Amino acid sequence: MDTQTPSTTTVKHECPGATPPRRAFFRWLTGLLGATATGLLTLPILGYFFARRTRPAMWVEMGALADFPLGETRTINFDNPLRQPWDGMTSLTGVHVRYQGQGDDGKEQFLVLAANCAHLGCPVSWFPQSGLFMCPCHGGVYYETGERASGPPPRGLFHCVWRVKDGKLEIEAPHYPTLHDTLTGSLES
């Protein structure tokens, strides 16, 4: 009797196609699409927190220098060129302009204030009899310089960027001012 056991060598049968390349392909494709989707969703969020918005300056003509008598405040309403199609009537905005004469350097000086109250953005009105700007919504009051006098506004009126070009007063088209994004932000940077 043969006491020898037969050799038990295990032979691993490699089956072509046992680990289908199609499965590996779909794993890679899923990973790639997931990474792409994560990147596409993350970029706007990072941009919101870290990017600095810059928009090209658009200048709006307010009128010739002769149209602004010395020390008189004028309210000028205009259609804001920064408007979007869905803005509707809110694209009609205004500013209060006062010519303050020539400065020590011989250049014309203007006080240009946004018409929006610093509280919630209601349009303020100028009352020359009292020399005050008043907001009809919540009773905000401002001095003739635009500084806060009383009421709920946390600060004075927003100042607009202006320039004199070819004998005409121009202002930089104002966006809706906020405490974090004032109208003079381009001058402060």
Side-chain angles (χ1 to χ4, degrees), residues 60-68 76 97 110 163-171:
V60 180
E61 185 178 306
M62 296 287 105
L65 294 181
D67 295 341
F68 300 97
I76 300 174
V97 179
F110 284 90
R163 71 180 181 189
V164 175
K165 184 176 182 184
D166 300 330
K168 295 179 179 175
L169 175 66
E170 295 180 344
I171 66 164

Side-chain angles (χ1 to χ4, degrees), residues 10-182:
T10 56
V11 176
K12 188 174 183 181
H13 296 283
E14 293 283 332
C15 182
T19 53
R22 185 177 64 176
R23 180 174 294 169
F25 169 74
F26 280 117
R27 282 186 186 148
W28 278 100
L29 182 63
T30 302
L32 181 66
L33 290 176
T36 303
T38 302
L40 289 175
L41 292 174
T42 304
L43 282 177
I45 294 170
L46 292 176
Y48 175 79
F49 287 110
F50 298 110
R52 183 179 177 98
R53 284 189 236 166
T54 58
R55 48 178 88 87
M58 299 178 74
W59 294 92
V60 180
E61 185 178 306
M62 296 287 105
L65 294 181
D67 295 341
F68 300 97
L70 181 65
E72 184 177 318
T73 300
R74 293 199 161 187
T75 301
I76 300 174
N77 296 312
F78 58 94
D79 195 15
N80 195 334
L82 297 178
R83 72 178 176 275
Q84 298 296 322
W86 52 83
D87 286 345
M89 290 295 292
T90 59
S91 68
L92 298 174
T93 188
V95 292
H96 301 284
V97 179
R98 182 181 310 126
Y99 176 56
Q100 298 180 315
Q102 293 184 340
D104 295 337
D105 56 357
K107 294 182 179 178
E108 310 297 336
Q109 298 296 315
F110 284 90
L111 176 68
V112 182
L113 302 170
N116 305 94
C117 179
H119 179 221
L120 293 178
C122 295
V124 297
S125 299
W126 167 244
F127 291 88
Q129 302 84 1
S130 59
L132 296 171
F133 293 100
M134 295 187 187
C135 177
C137 295
H138 301 102
V141 180
Y142 302 90
Y143 295 116
E144 65 181 352
T145 59
E147 296 298 317
R148 178 187 173 273
S150 68
R155 57 161 286 161
L157 293 173
F158 294 96
H159 291 248
C160 294
V161 178
W162 60 271
R163 71 180 181 189
V164 175
K165 184 176 182 184
D166 300 330
K168 295 179 179 175
L169 175 66
E170 295 180 344
I171 66 164
E172 188 174 327
H175 58 83
Y176 183 77
T178 63
L179 295 176
H180 301 288
D181 190 10
T182 62

